[in-house]
Amino acid sequence: MSGMTHRLRTLVNTQLARRGYSLRWRPPHLISSPDQSIELGFAVLAAHLMLTTPRPFFIGIGANDGVTHDPIFPFIRDFGWRGIMVEPIPEAFARLKDNYTRYPDVTLVEAAIGKADSVSTIYSVDMSTANSMSMSLHSSFSRDVLLQARRWHPDLESKIVERQVPTISFETLLRSTKGQPVDVLKIDAEGYDLEILRTIDLVALAPQLVLVEHANIPRSGKIEMAERLTAAGYRVGLTSLDMLGYKETAYSRAQLYV
């Protein structure tokens, strides 16, 4: 969105708000009858979290450009969420910086999350072609996981390159929070999601909402992922791509059922 468009949108929203209207994005209405349960999804959980925490603080691991397929972005844009975004691919990080110039409350970290502060090999793509950014969404520490994206990009294998990227531990990343409690944790690491989750003490961190991609994780890994969440006191739900963990006490007003 251009600066002029952004200012116009802000002006229109301000004028309409004075009359009781709003053009801001709203999560979808997913109340179903007759049992009045809510279809579990990130947008619903995030919206209900804001009933008690109007501007949640988040950590987003695997940001890419911070906009494409990122469920947190609408909440940053429209509701002022604060937090940290992590992305290791240089070209994607450059795009992330461009997209987030208007969001000073979001700290950007150019790194991958690993077991220690080091340098690691990640499999990405040659960034010289028109669809490189789209293919880079699938960058992974596993070449096999990256290759699964051939269903959308038939020529992907010929574009694969190995990149050396900085890797930091989750504990190192937490220093960027400066002691700010973390309300939302998102992990989108293309097959490395469980490895990252294993390095996080969820009980100590205590985010109210956890979103972890499971699409590239084998069945045994999905089970372990769910067990780690439930052991830390979360209720668990699934979408086709992600596993959601939420604290039941935090969502008691939402009457969520899974």
Side-chain angles (χ1 to χ4, degrees):
M1 183 187 298
S2 69
M4 180 66 72
T5 302
H6 179 71
R7 289 192 294 272
L8 178 60
R9 174 177 175 156
T10 300
L11 176 63
V12 171
N13 276 335
T14 300
Q15 294 299 319
L16 289 177
R18 291 173 179 171
R19 295 167 174 78
Y21 300 96
S22 175
L23 290 180
R24 292 183 179 274
W25 178 88
R26 288 289 183 267
H29 297 286
L30 295 175
I31 302 293
S32 62
S33 59
D35 61 1
Q36 296 187 347
S37 62
I38 295 178
E39 181 181 333
L40 203 62
F42 180 82
V44 170
L45 291 171
H48 282 276
L49 174 61
M50 288 192 297
L51 292 174
T52 55
T53 310
R55 294 186 67 207
F57 187 91
F58 69 88
I59 290 178
I61 298 172
N64 197 262
D65 67 2
V67 175
T68 306
H69 305 312
D70 194 313
I72 291 180
F73 175 65
F75 293 93
I76 298 169
R77 181 192 65 206
D78 293 342
F79 301 107
W81 280 26
R82 305 155 298 133
I84 299 171
M85 283 192 160
V86 183
E87 172 55 43
I89 305 299
E91 293 84 355
F93 187 79
R95 188 73 63 86
L96 176 66
K97 286 179 66 176
D98 288 343
N99 289 337
Y100 275 72
T101 55
R102 296 192 300 273
Y103 306 110
D105 290 334
V106 180
T107 300
L108 308 180
V109 177
E110 187 175 2
I113 302 300
K115 295 179 180 179
D117 297 355
S118 183
V119 176
S120 300
T121 300
I122 195 168
Y123 296 92
S124 189
V125 296
D126 177 2
M127 299 298 292
S128 63
T129 59
N131 63 341
S132 295
M133 281 302 297
S134 178
M135 288 192 287
S136 76
L137 286 165
H138 309 283
S139 300
S140 174
F141 285 119
S142 167
R143 191 174 189 273
D144 290 338
V145 169
L146 175 57
L147 281 172
Q148 291 178 22
R150 284 180 296 187
R151 71 187 82 170
W152 302 290
H153 307 286
D155 61 339
L156 182 144
E157 187 167 9
S158 65
K159 308 293 185 183
I160 293 178
V161 296
E162 295 183 16
R163 297 282 191 93
Q164 297 296 304
V165 297
T167 305
I168 61 174
S169 70
F170 190 77
E171 289 302 316
T172 297
L173 179 65
L174 278 181
R175 295 174 195 159
S176 302
T177 69
K178 300 178 181 180
Q180 172 70 46
V182 177
D183 302 299
V184 178
L185 172 65
K186 188 206 79 168
I187 304 174
D188 183 355
E190 301 303 317
Y192 199 68
D193 315 84
L194 178 57
E195 294 296 326
I196 293 173
L197 194 63
R198 286 170 177 161
T199 70
I200 300 173
D201 185 342
L202 288 173
V203 174
L205 188 68
Q208 296 299 325
L209 176 56
V210 180
L211 179 73
V212 188
E213 187 178 67
H214 68 75
N216 296 302
I217 305 294
R219 177 180 171 81
S220 60
K222 296 180 200 289
I223 293 171
E224 180 184 342
M225 191 180 284
E227 288 176 343
R228 285 181 174 273
L229 287 167
T230 55
Y234 293 89
R235 296 197 67 181
V236 175
L238 286 175
T239 69
S240 59
L241 295 177
D242 302 306
M243 187 172 294
L244 294 147
Y246 63 96
K247 296 284 190 178
E248 186 173 14
T249 53
Y251 292 94
S252 59
R253 293 175 62 186
Q255 296 182 350
L256 298 175
Y257 301 93
V258 295

